[in-house]
Amino acid sequence: EWVSVYTDGCCHDNGRGDPRAGIGVYWGPGNERNLAEKLYGRQTNNRAEIYAAHRAIEQAKEMNIQNLVIFTDSQFLISCITKWIQNWKKRGWKTTSGKAVINREELENLDSVMQGINVRWEHVKGHSGVEGNEMADQLANEGARK
């Protein structure tokens, strides 16, 4: 049996003067595990997306969930973890152009926390009325305002 969760990260003023990032994890209406947290460290949207998934997996493991479906509107996150990470590891965390992978530490941590749990990644279109995604987005924005 697979358990579903929606994750989202956001960064107000991403790439500009005073960015503020947050993460949202949405398990369902009224679920005590729903969370909105400020992202600490480097404030970027991609870091927030990665960390939101990381937190969801941590929570799932605490609940002894064995099979987790993560719904995210971040195609970047899905591609990082399902397509690119194996080659980055083989190349010493370098991109095909030889540059260092920007979010290496976050992705290594995500890869590590995924050990011992089955994770399936599902893309949902952002801001398209999917309730779980809309709620995760609200939580991420709440986290960024903290």
Side-chain angles (χ1 to χ4, degrees):
E1 184 171 317
W2 291 82
V3 177
S4 298
V5 66
Y6 288 81
T7 67
D8 201 12
C10 76
C11 186
H12 301 167
D13 294 327
N14 192 42
R16 289 182 283 205
D18 186 26
R20 294 169 321 282
I23 68 162
V25 178
Y26 182 72
W27 293 94
N31 191 302
E32 65 184 19
R33 299 257 182 193
N34 293 343
L35 64 86
E37 291 180 351
K38 177 174 177 40
L39 180 70
Y40 291 95
R42 191 166 43 89
Q43 302 287 290
T44 72
N45 188 71
N46 285 340
R47 278 192 76 240
E49 295 282 5
I50 295 165
Y51 191 64
H54 186 277
R55 288 291 285 124
I57 294 167
E58 285 180 333
Q59 289 180 303
K61 289 172 105 174
E62 290 168 5
M63 293 184 282
N64 294 313
I65 292 170
Q66 297 297 311
N67 301 301
L68 183 66
V69 182
I70 296 179
F71 288 90
T72 176
D73 60 17
S74 174
Q75 190 59 60
F76 167 80
L77 169 61
I78 293 172
S79 293
C80 281
I81 210 68
T82 65
K83 294 179 182 177
W84 304 330
I85 195 167
Q86 295 307 323
N87 285 329
W88 286 338
K89 288 180 190 179
K90 288 177 192 170
R91 287 193 298 265
W93 288 93
K94 302 282 186 206
T95 65
T96 53
S97 63
K99 295 180 181 172
V101 173
I102 293 173
N103 296 300
R104 175 183 177 170
E105 181 180 349
E106 293 82 2
L107 292 166
E108 283 181 317
N109 290 338
L110 179 59
D111 189 44
S112 178
V113 78
M114 288 175 59
Q115 303 309 307
I117 186 171
N118 298 313
V119 179
R120 194 170 79 215
W121 300 89
E122 295 287 341
H123 183 257
V124 293
K125 187 174 181 192
H127 310 288
S128 63
V130 176
E131 181 185 1
N133 182 254
E134 297 293 339
M135 295 305 296
D137 179 71
Q138 283 183 23
L139 291 165
N141 278 285
E142 181 183 325
R145 288 189 296 269
K146 289 185 175 185

